[in-house]
Amino acid sequence: MPFSKTGKKPRQKHANPFVKSSAYFSRYQVKPRRRREGKTDYQARRALTTQAKNKFASPKYRLVVRITNRQVICQVTYAKLQGDVVLVQASSKELPRYGIKHGLTNWTAAYATGLLVARRALTKVGLADKYEGFTEPSGELELVEELGEDEPRPFKVFLDVGLRRTSTGNRVFGAMKGASDGGLYVPHNEKRFPGFDPETKTLDAEVLQKYIYGGHVAEYMEELEEEDDERFKKQFATYLADEVGSEDIEDMYRDAYEKIREDPAFKPTQKDSKWVEESKKYKAKALTREERRANIEKKIAEYQQ
């Protein structure tokens, strides 16, 4: 490199930071697959799965709530190095067994599914008799409390909403409320429940209780019947086919909650059991040398005929 008149080397210009050379790509790391696909919020997952150091190897349970176009899915899971392990699961597709045959994706169905997964989880870990939850939800903020020093602590889970927007009144909080009333300890406050006023920062318990027992559905049925009878008959055709009116909604959900508490165990339907039987695969038994020779001779004899 030529020297300047002063005898010093000229200052080199910095490389263009926007030029992606081979050195850049040798250091480049792609995002995780589920991050690229937009399926997992790893920042939230890291916070939900990271356990305190003084609780090494003890599982940190999560209440996973996922809502599709046809059902509400609730799971109690915990993370391991091999992947997530599901302790129990409940789906709103099981609700027809308890008398809820319509509206399997609304707020009240999410509450019923959360109640079902809570009773199922507590039954599995042997705490169903000690922590019964709140059999008559009042619409107030109620959290499960410890029974005493000599008694087991409540089963603690953390709400996992995935990528769903946590807006006020979202159905994932219906599932959380159902799980909390079912006996699980889910740390939360009242800010995202229906009926919460952000200005006064107070919760209208009557509004929340109305959502728990499907009052908002009954109210909408009555309004739609008065305004547009044709649309009402089309939208609630399945309700009318089973002779379920707006005055029957609350009793239907109240009876369903009692049945869920009586028998929360999973019972596969006939369709599920049939699928399990058909999906079984058996490994073919290895033939001996004499059996293989007999098969070959049989094929030769059939070919010569």
Side-chain angles (χ1 to χ4, degrees):
M1 180 179 293
F3 289 86
S4 61
K5 294 181 180 179
T6 58
K8 297 181 180 180
K9 293 183 179 180
R11 181 178 297 176
Q12 295 180 355
K13 295 182 179 180
H14 293 289
N16 189 350
F18 300 102
V19 175
K20 293 181 172 57
S21 60
S22 60
Y24 169 85
F25 284 107
S26 65
R27 301 190 306 271
Y28 183 78
Q29 291 182 343
V30 298
K31 302 288 185 182
R33 177 181 58 81
R34 292 184 62 85
R35 171 63 183 85
R36 298 196 306 269
E37 295 175 353
K39 293 182 178 180
T40 300
D41 181 358
Y42 279 98
Q43 183 178 2
R45 177 177 172 80
R46 192 180 304 112
L48 286 169
T49 58
T50 303
Q51 184 65 290
K53 289 185 177 180
N54 62 346
K55 301 177 182 178
F56 178 76
S58 60
K60 187 176 182 179
Y61 293 98
R62 313 194 315 271
L63 174 65
V64 179
V65 181
R66 300 292 182 265
I67 301 175
T68 68
N69 290 336
R70 296 189 177 184
Q71 63 178 329
V72 178
I73 304 171
C74 294
Q75 296 177 336
V76 176
T77 67
Y78 60 96
K80 296 182 69 174
L81 290 176
Q82 295 81 4
D84 284 358
V85 179
V86 179
L87 182 68
V88 290
Q89 172 177 325
S91 169
S92 61
K93 284 189 174 182
E94 303 176 50
L95 297 181
R97 181 160 66 95
Y98 301 101
I100 304 175
K101 301 180 181 179
H102 314 285
L104 300 182
T105 56
N106 59 28
W107 200 95
T108 315
Y111 177 91
T113 309
L115 176 64
L116 178 59
V117 76
R119 300 311 303 166
R120 190 170 290 174
L122 292 174
T123 302
K124 186 167 185 176
V125 298
L127 296 176
D129 296 335
K130 294 183 179 295
Y131 291 96
E132 297 182 355
F134 307 99
T135 55
E136 291 293 334
S138 61
E140 300 287 347
L141 178 64
E142 298 172 309
L143 296 177
V144 178
E145 298 179 355
E146 295 187 18
L147 299 177
E149 295 182 357
D150 298 333
E151 298 291 338
R153 287 180 294 180
F155 194 87
K156 186 177 182 180
V157 296
F158 297 92
L159 179 64
D160 184 343
V161 300
L163 299 176
R164 183 165 290 270
R165 188 182 295 275
T166 54
S167 55
T168 302
N170 199 302
R171 289 171 290 175
V172 295
F173 300 111
M176 180 189 69
K177 178 63 175 174
S180 178
D181 290 348
L184 294 180
Y185 174 54
V186 191
H188 66 279
N189 53 37
E190 72 277 6
K191 290 185 178 180
R192 292 305 179 188
F193 287 143
F196 179 79
D197 189 358
E199 296 182 358
T200 60
K201 296 183 179 180
T202 57
L203 176 66
D204 191 343
E206 294 182 358
V207 175
L208 179 57
Q209 191 175 22
K210 181 178 70 173
Y211 271 74
I212 291 174
Y213 291 109
H216 63 297
V217 179
E219 185 178 339
Y220 177 67
M221 290 179 68
E222 295 175 355
E223 293 179 359
L224 191 62
E225 187 177 11
E226 294 176 358
E227 297 176 359
D228 191 346
D229 186 62
E230 183 178 352
R231 183 184 171 189
F232 164 75
K233 291 180 180 179
K234 182 179 180 181
Q235 185 165 344
F236 294 97
T238 56
Y239 286 77
L240 299 176
D242 291 342
E243 299 180 354
V244 178
S246 58
E247 64 280 358
D248 304 322
I249 296 293
E250 182 176 351
D251 294 336
M252 178 183 71
Y253 284 113
R254 193 180 296 274
D255 295 341
Y257 298 156
E258 294 179 359
K259 293 178 182 178
I260 288 174
R261 290 181 175 276
E262 291 175 1
D263 183 17
F266 174 75
K267 294 181 181 179
T269 61
Q270 185 177 2
K271 181 180 178 181
D272 295 336
S273 58
K274 181 181 178 182
W275 181 84
V276 171
E277 292 176 359
E278 293 179 351
S279 63
K280 288 183 178 179
K281 295 181 179 179
Y282 298 94
K283 187 176 180 181
K285 182 181 177 181
L287 302 178
T288 62
R289 186 165 181 262
E290 290 75 12
E291 292 174 340
R292 292 197 301 270
R293 183 182 294 275
N295 289 339
I296 294 174
E297 293 177 353
K298 182 179 177 182
K299 291 180 180 179
I300 293 175
E302 292 177 354
Y303 179 76
Q304 291 177 351
Q305 288 180 358

